[in-house]
Amino acid sequence: MPYVARVPYLSLPLLLVLLLGLAGAGPARAADRPVVELSRAQAGTGGSVTVTGSGWRPRALLTLLVCGQAEPTRGVSGGTNSCANADGRAVTADAEGRFRRELPVVEPPVPCPCVVHVATVTGADAEADAVLQVAGHAVEPLPADRAGGRLSLLADSRLRGSGGLLTWFGSPPARTLVVTVGNVGTSPVKDPVFQVGTSHGVFAPQWQDQRWRGTIRPGGKARIELRVELAAGAHGDYTVSLKYGGKVLAEHPWGVGRPWGVTLFWVLVCLVVPAALFRAGLAVVDRARPRHPVHAARPPRRRPRLRLPAVRRSPALPWVSPDAEPPSSTRT
């Protein structure tokens, strides 16, 4: 009996700890998967739907877009080119990771199936989709080759290229992202569309769609080269990301040096321009200064000559003259 009585007494605190741990783990798991819901699943062009979300990062900035050729299980296959970007909306989640926003219903640039795509703008990358039927918009099935074709990274990515003299003077830095991918699916992948993103600091990547021309057979591999370019004057630590089918395949750091040529140019401008203005000002002052006529009519000053005293000459003697003969003298 003593042993039986001690077992419930000792196990009660353990049960309380386990229950508290399970209760605390529930919200954390829910926060890992953000949720998007719509006020109605079908709407026509010109109307609007109310988009609500939960499980997002607190105070996260989000974008809401109507996208075509997409499903929640596969994401937006064509990237942002399949979305009505001009009619999107932005919203900031509250302290609990929730939001509520009205979104106008417009026709995306590609046929349906359509979704409302919600993604983060800054911080960690997160996204979620909700099905939306746009009344009157064309509907086409998704490409069948993407259902069985899957690409996976086979080798480490690298950036090829280097900066030049123009980059040193602020030209946009550019590199070539080189990756080797393989098709681990059961169907070929033809002309895949990759998303290349560049991020700086805590900001989320800015994605750009790039199509690679070619076909990757099941079990085959291919070397993919995609161009990456930053804005003019960009410098610092960047991260280049590669995404396909909603999945990030590779991330590569990129350290961009400061364009010191621009700094040197402005230093020279700050030195040369004031000196040129100073000399121009002196020339203007010299021309504008009045001239006195007295000084202008004054004759040039001559050096005084040294005058020697005049030498008095005595009359020449008669016998000194060249034509004269000396008188003859006679003795008496």
Side-chain angles (χ1 to χ4, degrees):
M1 288 297 296
Y3 178 77
V4 177
R6 289 178 183 178
V7 173
Y9 180 77
L10 293 177
S11 55
L12 181 59
L14 297 177
L15 292 175
L16 292 177
V17 171
L18 292 176
L19 291 176
L20 292 176
L22 293 176
R29 292 179 180 177
D32 293 338
R33 293 184 178 181
V35 179
V36 176
E37 297 180 354
L38 305 180
S39 59
R40 48 181 176 169
Q42 182 177 0
T45 304
S48 62
V49 293
T50 302
V51 185
T52 58
S54 61
W56 297 87
R57 191 177 67 255
R59 308 301 181 186
L61 180 61
L62 310 173
T63 56
L64 287 69
L65 299 172
V66 177
C67 303
Q69 288 291 283
E71 290 181 352
T73 57
R74 295 173 52 180
V76 182
S77 58
T80 55
N81 289 339
S82 303
C83 305
N85 299 309
D87 298 291
R89 293 294 184 268
V91 66
T92 302
D94 58 13
E96 298 180 356
R98 300 178 180 179
F99 71 88
R100 182 185 180 89
R101 188 73 161 86
E102 293 288 335
L103 179 66
V105 178
V106 295
E107 294 184 354
V110 296
C112 286
C114 301
V115 298
V116 173
H117 181 71
V118 182
T120 56
V121 178
T122 59
D125 189 14
E127 56 186 16
D129 300 321
V131 177
L132 175 64
Q133 296 180 6
V134 181
H137 192 55
V139 179
E140 293 183 3
L142 295 178
D145 58 342
R146 295 187 179 180
R150 294 180 300 160
L151 298 182
S152 178
L153 185 68
L154 299 182
D156 294 337
S157 61
R158 62 185 181 91
L159 290 176
R160 189 182 64 189
S162 60
L165 182 61
L166 295 179
T167 306
W168 199 67
F169 280 95
S171 179
R175 296 289 188 275
T176 300
L177 179 64
V178 181
V179 296
T180 302
V181 297
N183 187 357
V184 296
T186 58
S187 62
V189 178
K190 182 180 180 181
D191 298 339
V193 178
F194 295 92
Q195 289 182 292
V196 180
T198 55
S199 60
H200 180 57
V202 298
F203 295 96
Q206 300 294 327
W207 300 101
Q208 294 182 353
D209 297 338
Q210 296 191 27
R211 182 181 297 275
W212 183 78
R213 299 293 180 179
T215 302
I216 306 176
R217 301 293 179 182
K221 63 179 181 179
R223 182 182 179 184
I224 309 297
E225 296 185 0
L226 303 173
R227 182 175 176 82
V228 185
E229 184 174 340
L230 302 178
H235 61 276
D237 295 331
Y238 286 80
T239 301
V240 180
S241 304
L242 180 65
K243 181 190 293 187
Y244 177 77
K247 179 182 178 181
V248 178
L249 299 180
E251 291 183 347
H252 195 284
W254 183 11
V256 183
R258 183 181 296 272
W260 292 108
V262 179
T263 305
L264 179 61
F265 170 78
W266 286 111
V267 170
L268 293 178
V269 168
C270 294
L271 293 178
V272 174
V273 172
L277 293 177
F278 179 74
R279 297 196 62 177
L282 290 181
V284 171
V285 171
D286 185 66
R287 288 181 175 272
R289 185 174 58 183
R291 303 291 182 177
H292 298 287
V294 177
H295 296 171
R298 179 179 298 177
R301 191 173 181 181
R302 298 180 179 179
R303 296 179 60 184
R305 295 182 178 180
L306 182 61
R307 295 183 178 181
L308 299 177
V311 179
R312 187 176 182 182
R313 298 180 179 180
S314 57
L317 297 177
W319 60 84
V320 177
S321 175
D323 297 335
E325 294 182 359
S328 56
S329 58
T330 57
R331 295 182 178 179
T332 57

